[in-house]
Amino acid sequence: MSTFIPAAKPIVGDEEREAVDRVLRSGMIAQGPEVAAFEQEFGAQMVGGRACVAVNSGTAGLHLGLLAAGVGPGDEVIVPSFTFAATGNSVALAGATPVFADIDPVTFCLAPESVEASITERTKAVMPVHLYGHPADMDGFAALADKHGLAVFEDAAQAHGATLHGKPVGSFGAFGMFSLYPTKNMTSGEGGMVSCATDEIARNVRLLRNQGMERQYANELVGFNARMTDIHAAIGRVQLTKVDAWTQQRRANAAFLDANLEGVVVPTIAAGATHVYHQYTIRVAEDRDRVVAALREEHQVGSGVYYPIPNHRLDSLKHFAPGLELPETEKAAAQVISLPVHPSLTPGDLERIVHAVNTVVKAGA
Ligand SMILES: *Cc1c(COP(=O)(O)O)cnc(C)c1O
């Protein structure tokens, strides 16, 4: 019996353990110098030196980013429906209305044409997601932003290090958010990083993260406690030194899958883009759930479905989109399977994944 190959596997080494120990021994474990260093290092390495603000989750990063950029009640923000619920949730949490638009069937990312068709006089911004680690069409959104006077924000939760025309994601919009949850391409345990285009947005995120205070007890506005701890930042700083090598390994794993899978649609990379393969997502033409079950039960290969229910159909969000039909989103939600692509896979694991998918898909044809 072969061992199970999980769909995702966080990698934590001795360096992370030592970094946590160093912080614990220092006696100062809340937000402090490690967080400041992490923000500095992340900004320099990931987003061309932009001001970055660390928070305690990616979701908090989106929420605070939206508030910091002035989104509030009465505003509409156009988002994809084919994403993790946090994208639309953050808009609702900011008191605004998430408006769901359709995706490009090739990249699975928000489609500018569908966004343009959804613009109203209340539209304040568009917030594409760099889904699965593939950059969204930022040229298309920049053109729409110019034409209609919109802001652009980025949900880069899954796309640490992805680029478009050589420019890193998270450096296009007024703000961009990276998640540091354990299954993402790098982690701090829990956490998020907000990359900010202006000092004003960065200052607002800092205020909102800490009860509206820049100086102790001089509260300027009503804020949250969304602070990252130095324990988490210490883990994140170590992971930051490893993520580029992990991305190279993800790309090599993806190249092997591209070259060897049969009978399925493999990921396509848009012109000028680099993909960081947070997920390696295929489409199958037949009963997707049968394929997922057979991979697991007959071949001990884990996989994931991101995302089976379009966000505009979730009980929590559907009241924002009565009667909305998004054909490409519905189709993708029924057809996608994400295969393991994480950097811990061995060459033997990759062979097993290919054999399993090819066998299961052939049996259903
Ligand atoms: C993970 C994720 C988030 C939220 O990040 P958390 O750190 O889990 O709060 C938001 N958007 C997308 C697309 C994600 O994948």
Side-chain angles (χ1 to χ4, degrees):
M1 187 80 181
S2 4
T3 52
F4 187 75
I5 303 175
K9 189 172 175 195
I11 309 176
V12 177
D14 287 340
E15 298 87 349
E16 284 86 340
R17 277 185 279 277
E18 281 156 22
V20 168
D21 199 46
R22 182 182 72 236
V23 173
L24 291 176
R25 283 174 200 284
S26 78
M28 298 194 358
I29 61 187
Q31 180 182 295
E34 292 283 339
V35 170
F38 186 31
E39 291 174 338
Q40 177 66 38
E41 291 159 5
F42 192 99
Q45 183 174 324
M46 287 292 179
V47 285
R50 267 202 187 192
C52 282
V53 183
V55 289
N56 57 5
S57 75
T59 306
L62 289 177
H63 182 198
L64 272 50
L66 288 162
L67 293 174
V71 171
D75 295 331
E76 294 177 353
V77 177
I78 303 175
V79 293
S81 174
F82 192 59
T83 174
F84 186 52
T87 312
N89 283 350
S90 64
V91 176
L93 287 169
T97 301
V99 172
F100 297 101
D102 214 349
I103 54 167
D104 171 345
V106 175
T107 64
F108 299 106
C109 292
L110 189 63
E113 311 76 63
S114 179
V115 168
E116 185 153 37
S118 311
I119 292 173
T120 72
E121 64 277 21
R122 294 190 149 191
T123 307
K124 172 108 177 181
V126 54
M127 185 157 74
V129 178
H130 305 298
L131 198 72
Y132 304 144
H134 184 289
D137 180 357
M138 301 314 289
D139 298 335
F141 298 119
L144 282 185
D146 278 354
K147 185 168 161 199
H148 298 276
L150 310 179
V152 179
F153 310 136
E154 299 174 77
D155 182 339
Q158 306 185 350
H160 315 69
T163 62
L164 187 62
H165 311 306
K167 193 172 146 92
V169 303
S171 69
F172 289 86
F175 77 85
M177 179 283 291
F178 297 87
S179 169
L180 300 165
Y181 184 73
T183 58
K184 302 292 157 88
N185 286 23
M186 61 174 283
T187 185
S188 59
E190 288 269 12
M193 192 64 83
V194 187
S195 153
C196 304
T198 64
D199 291 342
E200 191 195 350
I201 292 177
R203 180 166 190 276
N204 286 340
V205 176
R206 280 194 195 97
L207 286 173
L208 289 164
R209 143 179 98 172
N210 187 28
Q211 314 286 359
M213 295 191 292
E214 189 167 42
R215 279 184 308 112
Q216 191 80 335
Y217 307 127
N219 307 59
E220 298 174 39
L221 46 80
V222 177
F224 301 82
N225 174 357
R227 298 184 302 264
M228 179 180 276
T229 72
D230 265 16
I231 303 170
H232 294 87
I235 299 171
R237 290 180 72 195
V238 175
Q239 295 257 313
L240 195 56
T241 67
K242 300 179 175 181
V243 68
D244 285 348
W246 288 336
T247 297
Q248 293 312 320
Q249 192 58 52
R250 285 177 182 274
R251 288 188 177 130
N253 294 346
F256 183 86
L257 296 172
D258 285 346
N260 292 288
L261 291 173
E262 290 162 9
V264 300
V265 180
V266 299
T268 306
I269 303 178
T274 65
H275 197 324
V276 295
Y277 295 102
H278 171 60
Q279 301 293 349
Y280 182 93
T281 302
I282 61 171
R283 279 184 198 257
V284 295
E286 44 137 349
D287 181 354
R288 186 261 319 279
D289 296 338
R290 181 195 75 85
V291 175
V292 169
L295 289 175
R296 186 181 57 239
E297 278 144 36
E298 292 161 26
H299 298 272
Q300 289 73 54
V301 170
S303 63
V305 173
Y306 312 105
Y307 295 87
I309 306 176
N311 288 184
H312 72 285
R313 302 224 180 264
L314 293 173
D315 284 345
S316 53
L317 293 169
K318 65 186 181 196
H319 62 284
F320 288 113
L324 181 64
E325 306 268 343
L326 298 173
E328 293 300 344
T329 293
E330 313 274 357
K331 199 166 155 192
Q335 293 186 330
V336 292
I337 302 178
S338 297
L339 302 174
V341 73
H342 54 81
S344 318
L345 296 173
T346 65
D349 292 338
L350 287 162
E351 297 276 4
R352 271 180 57 201
I353 295 163
V354 165
H355 172 75
V357 173
N358 290 353
T359 307
V360 169
V361 168
K362 203 176 210 172

